[in-house]
Amino acid sequence: MARTARSGRRARSRILKFTLGAMALCVVATIAYAGYVTWQVGHEFSGRRWDLPAQVYATPLELYAGRALAADDLVSELKRLGYREDPRLARPGTYRVALQRVEVSTRGFDFAGDTEPPQLISLGFASGKIATLRGVDGADAAIARLDPLLIGSLFPAHGEDRLIVAPAETPPLLPAALIAIEDRRFADHHGVDLRAMLRAAFVNLSAGEIKQGASTLTQQLVRSYFLSNERSWTRKLHEAFMAVALELCYDKPDLMQAYINEIYLGQDGDRAVHGFGLASQFYFGRPLAELDLHELALLVAVVRGPTYYDPRRHPERALARRNLVLQEMADAKLVSAADAEKAEKRKLDLLSTSRRSATQSAFLSLVRRQLAMDYPMKELERAGLRVLTTFDPGVQAAAERALTTGIAALGANAKELDGAVVVTSPHTGEVNAIVGGRSGDGFNRALDARRPIGSLIKPAIYLTALESGRYTLASVIDDSPIDVKLDNGDVWSPHDYDGEPRGEVPLIRALAESLNLATVRLGLDVGLEPIAKSLGRLGLAQKPKLYPSMLLGALALTPLEVAQIYNTLANGGFRVPLRAVRDVLGEDGQVLQRYSMQIEQAADPAAVYALNHALVQVMERGTGRTARAQLPAGLTVAGKTGTSDDLRDSWFAGFTNEHLAVAWIGYDDDRPTGLTGATGAAKIWVRVVGGLEAGSYRAPAPDSLETVWVDYLTGEPSAARCDDAVALPLPAADARPHRLLQGCAGESFGARLRHLFRSDAP
Amino acid sequence: MRLPSLRSLRVVRRMARVTATRALVLALLATLAACSTLEGAQRPKEPSRPNGAGSSGSTGAPAPGGGGGAPAQPESPPPSVAAPARPPGATSGATQALLAQSRAARAAGNYAQANATIERALRIAPSDASLWVELGEIELATGNAAQAATLARKALTLASPNDSVAITDAQKLLRAAGGR
């Protein structure tokens, strides 16, 4: 080299030295870079675990003979869980329907030792109930459970959500199809596929546009895991280096499984759907292992462009690409041509969006709040927890239906009217359903809309009166105009809703008809402070301001807070903090925490029994009468209407034996609705209860009370035969005069005597 | 004349080689170090479903919270001995089956499982007084007397007057829990 030069050797030698030095530096830099990349890949890929948002499960459906559940209800529950009709019951997750009979191959589950094996069960139905439950051997089985519905996950704000699948849970066809479609030489290359790159370059150059990509699966994995989606040469280079580095340290099956769990496959609002495990649930509502060929092919098709080939937004595009995938799978001999052809004829078979209840997010936010007290948000969003909740999909569906159809039935002016529903199981304090509004607009009215509760406060006043021992349900109070002098010198003159004071009335009537004037008198007599204390005992966390207007419900509460108060009443005076979460399981499947029931006696059971008796009368004779008529005649329910000033809020809270439901409707901007509790929320409530398996509210009478007949209008002792006679539980001492020979109001002594000798005498 | 340049070339080459070798060694070391951490690298987690089944139940080991010191025998108060004698109340076959499961778990000292199972039964038959007594007995066995007493009181409000067995059991539980 140096031979051509004769002069300036020094200079040349300097240039040579410089060049060689630079080359050496380049080599060093490259090697250092390669080392750094390898280190980065190794460090990050092993050090960083996927952020696994907590997965939240509903309560599993219990199946047993005698349960009120129609065959149709079971089938819709099975569909919700992604079970498929299959006459052969070939695998778990299938069912078949015959006349009055449903046979199910259940999936089974195991949550920290709470095990339900996968099994074949056969259910016979009669008159809306499960009549028989048999196992595969034909013998009667006592009880079986379906696997719990996955209702969502607590994904973080940046919105990446995934459901990890293990190789055992992955159909072998999936990796094979990914290789056939995305990266044919995956098994042979070392991270980058130079041949494919050249071919792609040639195709793209001759076509004048980008028609073909040449990214290997490894490169795609690198891009998704480490890099942003910007397109530049330096990034491409970096990506290639990282892919090679990744291949150095990992074997192919590991990379494939990482790819299957990492890759982006769709968007659900804020939530980015990553990995085939979650995508399978998101698009089909079923575990990955249960997908049919045409469904698996669709997921593989979506990989190329989850937005462009979004099967819900662009079904034709997605279908065309899916069929292309199927053809290529047949070409690669992964499936037979006949199977591929059959699969091409199938529809997309997507989970309909209506079944993915948007309003489930209302329940999820309650779950989040309950867990946030014990777990840092980071852990919930990352640590792969599993949360078993009290959510009941059937109850939720009934509550959602009740709110939407109920508001629609209120007429044309109800367009912007919105509402909320909370349903609990009063004995256990479990929250079964939360509806935060008609649409999933993100505003959770059940938890966040704090509105004046109106007459919903009255039971707390009457309970305080009954507990004081100075009042019974038959005690008479005065429903006549009253002026209350306030501390600031103003005078408060409340009035009844229909304006007509009733005069002297018994407590039972004042509560049933929600009389304001009588209630204000009663409340002032028992005292604001004791009433506030009662509210606290019933479960109200905040301390209400002690203004007389509190007596008519100036107090503003959320539907959930109201549910807590009424839950204590429905539970016979036993306070159980409402809970949405039963168990939290760690990533290893072991129980981290159980939220078992905490129970406290909050009120005198006898007083609560009498109060609930009056709440039944609300439904039989009082403000809930019209609504109650929509329910089956034999069903005993208890409840209370509530209306705020100027008819801005319409409330109803009430219970059967199994459920407590609170309904609220109103406008978000607080303008008057023109509806009372009775004409608005009560109609929603009735639809909720009508849609549930409701059993009559019942409680055995406490020993200390005696049930006697009382005249509903006056509170005077009465005979059972009289028109306005109502049976009331009174403390034994107060019941004594009622035991004497009684007649009806305005009846002569002679008439009473005559009745005594008739067969219908009490 | 050429020698110096040759020599310098060789020197440069040697230098380069040494540097390269060193860099290579370093890079290899780095790579190895990087790779070594990959041993326990992110593998898709095993499905946690089928595992951990027997570990919390059925081993017969006393459950945590079951007893402070006594290892063999869970220090259970009298009610749990008396409990299995109680005849079925007005509950269905399903709640009876769960009751039996709960008692088996309790006998094995697995109170968490016993508790969870009886809560399942209570979801099915929330008005069954005898199930509330059962739950109260489990609470008492795990040292939660206040809960047990409250549960006994709740059972008493639910027991119909002719269900003398449930009433007697509830009163017994109430006394055992120190609530009158």
Side-chain angles (χ1 to χ4, degrees):
Chain A
M1 322 157 200
R3 205 175 282 175
T4 50
R6 294 227 153 185
S7 61
R9 273 182 201 134
R10 257 160 204 255
R12 243 174 278 156
S13 134
R14 220 178 284 134
I15 290 171
L16 188 70
K17 270 187 195 165
F18 178 77
T19 313
L20 285 169
M23 275 168 67
L25 259 177
C26 263
V27 170
V28 169
T30 309
I31 288 171
Y33 169 71
Y36 165 73
V37 165
T38 313
W39 173 82
Q40 190 194 8
V41 163
H43 178 76
E44 290 219 355
F45 209 67
S46 67
R48 184 184 132 179
R49 298 153 74 77
W50 272 303
D51 290 348
L52 295 181
Q55 300 294 332
V56 183
Y57 292 87
T59 189
L61 183 70
E62 304 265 8
L63 301 170
Y64 51 89
R67 169 163 197 163
L69 184 75
D72 289 349
D73 297 336
L74 175 60
V75 168
S76 56
E77 185 74 29
L78 288 168
K79 284 184 176 159
R80 208 177 275 138
L81 287 168
Y83 278 60
R84 248 170 325 171
E85 201 159 1
D86 175 7
R88 293 171 302 128
L89 295 180
R91 59 171 176 223
T94 55
Y95 69 97
R96 66 181 176 213
V97 184
L99 194 66
Q100 295 293 302
R101 178 156 292 283
V102 179
E103 289 169 310
V104 189
S105 176
T106 68
R107 291 193 186 119
F109 58 88
D110 181 355
F111 288 126
D114 184 11
T115 314
E116 190 74 26
Q119 55 184 328
L120 278 171
I121 51 171
S122 170
L123 300 113
F125 292 86
S127 52
K129 283 188 173 185
I130 299 175
T132 57
L133 171 68
R134 297 213 174 90
V136 63
D137 50 359
D140 283 337
I143 190 161
R145 280 179 294 182
L146 297 181
D147 45 314
L149 179 71
L150 177 65
I151 56 175
S153 55
L154 305 179
F155 60 91
H158 72 82
E160 206 170 285
D161 194 9
R162 61 167 49 78
L163 200 57
I164 296 291
V165 287
E169 299 168 306
T170 311
L173 201 51
L174 176 61
L178 286 168
I179 289 172
I181 306 302
E182 294 291 328
D183 185 4
R184 275 188 213 166
R185 297 188 349 98
F186 178 69
D188 306 321
H189 64 62
H190 298 284
V192 286
D193 187 351
L194 291 172
R195 247 192 277 174
M197 274 184 178
L198 288 173
R199 196 185 55 231
F202 177 72
V203 168
N204 294 344
L205 280 175
S206 53
E209 57 176 329
I210 296 191
K211 294 202 101 170
Q212 223 174 32
S215 289
T216 63
L217 290 176
T218 323
Q219 281 170 294
Q220 293 182 33
L221 177 61
V222 163
R223 199 179 310 152
S224 173
Y225 199 91
F226 296 103
L227 306 168
S228 68
N229 228 351
E230 81 174 286
R231 283 167 178 268
S232 71
W233 280 107
T234 51
R235 202 220 57 180
K236 276 256 171 219
L237 202 69
H238 194 51
E239 174 191 304
F241 264 102
M242 288 179 106
V244 174
L246 205 55
E247 293 263 355
L248 263 179
C249 308
Y250 265 100
D251 55 8
K252 295 279 180 183
D254 278 350
L255 287 175
M256 176 56 86
Q257 206 60 34
Y259 180 90
I260 284 171
N261 283 317
E262 165 60 38
I263 215 74
Y264 171 67
L265 285 164
Q267 192 68 32
D268 178 26
D270 289 345
R271 185 166 78 129
V273 176
H274 281 256
F276 282 82
L278 185 62
S280 176
Q281 290 287 351
F282 174 62
Y283 289 116
F284 306 112
R286 261 203 303 284
L288 186 59
E290 288 180 21
L291 294 190
D292 280 344
L293 176 58
H294 70 293
E295 294 162 329
L296 202 63
L298 179 66
L299 294 186
V300 173
V302 165
V303 169
R304 187 56 62 85
T307 313
Y308 188 80
Y309 295 111
D310 184 336
R312 291 203 174 92
R313 288 207 179 157
H314 310 292
E316 328 76 35
R317 269 185 217 164
L319 190 79
R321 176 148 175 87
R322 182 199 73 182
N323 290 350
L324 190 75
V325 166
L326 284 165
Q327 278 163 26
E328 295 210 13
M329 285 171 78
D331 291 348
K333 302 267 183 296
L334 297 177
V335 294
S336 73
D339 283 349
E341 213 166 292
K342 235 187 279 169
E344 282 180 43
K345 295 206 176 87
R346 305 279 300 263
K347 290 183 201 143
L348 289 176
D349 287 344
L350 295 172
L351 181 70
S352 73
T353 38
S354 64
R355 266 164 61 201
R356 290 186 311 113
S357 163
T359 40
Q360 279 175 7
S361 63
F363 190 87
L364 285 177
S365 60
L366 180 60
V367 169
R368 230 178 227 274
R369 280 180 210 196
Q370 188 183 329
L371 290 177
M373 291 187 240
D374 298 313
Y375 296 89
M377 207 36 80
K378 249 179 21 194
E379 202 172 333
L380 295 177
E381 292 171 346
R382 291 187 189 167
L385 305 179
R386 281 183 299 167
V387 181
L388 311 185
T389 73
T390 58
F391 182 81
D392 186 323
V395 175
Q396 177 76 20
E400 284 174 21
R401 215 168 33 236
L403 187 68
T404 43
T405 61
I407 290 183
L410 289 173
N413 59 348
K415 267 205 186 79
E416 286 169 50
L417 205 54
D418 219 313
V421 178
V422 176
V423 185
T424 71
S425 296
H427 289 279
T428 56
E430 296 188 331
V431 182
N432 301 134
I434 299 259
V435 187
R438 291 162 84 183
S439 61
D441 61 0
F443 180 38
N444 193 340
R445 292 161 189 81
L447 273 55
D448 296 323
R450 191 164 265 118
R451 298 299 199 102
I453 61 171
S455 301
L456 284 192
I457 200 171
K458 284 178 182 162
I461 301 169
Y462 285 74
L463 177 68
T464 314
L466 292 169
E467 280 185 318
S468 75
R470 295 194 286 124
Y471 290 92
T472 73
L473 288 181
S475 303
V476 171
I477 41 180
D478 186 11
D479 188 59
S480 63
I482 178 173
D483 291 330
V484 184
K485 196 140 186 231
L486 303 178
D487 287 346
N488 62 4
D490 289 354
V491 173
W492 180 52
S493 309
H495 50 83
D496 277 327
Y497 268 111
D498 55 7
E500 205 51 54
R502 308 296 200 283
E504 301 258 293
V505 291
L507 252 67
I508 179 77
R509 186 177 169 200
L511 183 56
E513 296 176 17
S514 203
L515 302 179
N516 285 347
L517 302 177
T519 302
V520 168
R521 277 212 170 74
L522 182 68
L524 291 174
D525 186 57
V526 298
L528 299 181
E529 182 73 46
I531 293 167
K533 280 198 177 127
S534 296
L535 283 166
R537 282 185 288 140
L538 293 174
L540 180 66
Q542 74 191 70
K543 195 163 168 10
K545 293 202 177 84
L546 300 181
Y547 300 136
S549 60
M550 175 185 100
L551 298 171
L552 294 183
L555 180 66
L557 299 179
T558 66
L560 187 69
E561 288 171 328
V562 170
Q564 176 70 72
I565 292 170
Y566 275 76
N567 196 86
T568 307
L569 296 179
N571 196 9
F574 291 89
R575 184 179 64 244
V576 181
L578 293 184
R579 62 199 167 120
V581 177
R582 279 181 200 150
D583 300 289
V584 178
L585 310 187
E587 218 175 343
D588 56 357
Q590 292 304 301
V591 177
L592 287 184
Q593 189 157 5
R594 285 204 68 214
Y595 291 86
S596 54
M597 185 191 337
Q598 296 300 312
I599 186 167
E600 262 183 279
Q601 189 163 358
D604 171 23
V608 175
Y609 175 84
L611 176 68
N612 288 349
H613 189 89
L615 294 177
V616 170
Q617 291 307 312
V618 169
M619 306 306 287
E620 298 297 324
R621 297 164 183 269
T623 51
R625 194 177 60 247
T626 319
R628 195 248 158 282
Q630 307 295 312
L631 293 171
L635 186 68
T636 307
V637 292
K640 185 72 195 78
T641 50
T643 315
S644 71
D645 282 348
D646 304 325
L647 311 182
R648 292 175 199 277
D649 301 278
S650 168
W651 288 92
F652 196 90
F655 46 93
T656 64
N657 193 46
E658 288 85 9
H659 296 288
L660 158 77
V662 174
W664 167 84
I665 53 179
Y667 289 107
D668 286 342
D669 63 7
D670 207 20
R671 65 179 187 270
T673 61
L675 297 166
T676 64
T679 58
K683 293 183 174 173
I684 310 290
W685 183 86
V686 159
R687 283 171 190 261
V688 176
V689 171
L692 299 176
E693 309 147 14
S696 281
Y697 165 74
R698 58 175 186 271
D703 292 341
S704 59
L705 299 183
E706 192 176 325
T707 299
V708 294
W709 292 96
V710 175
D711 184 64
Y712 172 74
L713 298 174
T714 62
E716 292 294 311
S718 168
R721 60 187 158 78
C722 309
D723 287 343
D724 289 310
V726 57
L728 292 185
L730 303 181
D734 298 286
R736 205 165 299 129
H738 296 259
R739 271 184 247 136
L740 302 170
L741 173 61
Q742 296 299 346
C744 302
E747 211 172 40
S748 69
F749 184 71
R752 290 180 195 190
L753 266 182
R754 273 197 299 283
H755 275 289
L756 185 62
F757 296 103
R758 280 207 198 147
S759 56
D760 64 352
Chain B
M1 297 297 189
R2 289 173 206 159
L3 282 177
S5 72
L6 259 179
R7 200 182 301 142
S8 69
L9 189 64
R10 270 193 214 116
V11 167
V12 169
R13 264 192 194 154
R14 198 178 308 134
M15 271 168 55
R17 210 178 298 139
V18 166
T19 320
T21 316
R22 275 181 194 160
L24 206 67
V25 167
L26 268 175
L28 268 174
L29 277 175
T31 310
L32 277 177
C35 278
S36 71
T37 60
L38 294 178
E39 276 313 297
Q42 176 105 37
R43 281 155 201 272
K45 271 136 234 144
E46 288 308 308
S48 37
R49 284 191 164 206
N51 298 328
S55 50
S56 74
S58 70
T59 50
Q73 204 112 2
E75 44 172 54
S76 50
S80 77
V81 183
R86 191 183 310 136
T91 49
S92 67
T95 50
Q96 282 310 303
L98 292 172
L99 187 60
Q101 274 180 36
S102 171
R103 284 178 179 169
R106 175 153 47 130
N110 188 348
Y111 294 107
Q113 187 67 43
N115 190 305
T117 309
I118 211 69
E119 281 193 9
R120 259 181 87 190
L122 280 168
R123 270 173 228 131
I124 293 170
S127 303
D128 187 331
S130 68
L131 296 178
W132 290 100
V133 174
E134 192 77 19
L135 182 60
E137 289 173 0
I138 297 167
E139 291 285 355
L140 187 59
T142 51
N144 205 340
Q147 282 285 297
T150 311
L151 288 163
R153 287 195 193 98
K154 173 154 175 70
L156 285 171
T157 66
L158 289 173
S160 70
N162 51 19
D163 188 356
S164 58
V165 177
I167 292 172
T168 316
D169 285 347
Q171 283 165 341
K172 211 186 283 174
L173 173 63
L174 192 56
R175 276 195 302 276
R180 274 178 297 166

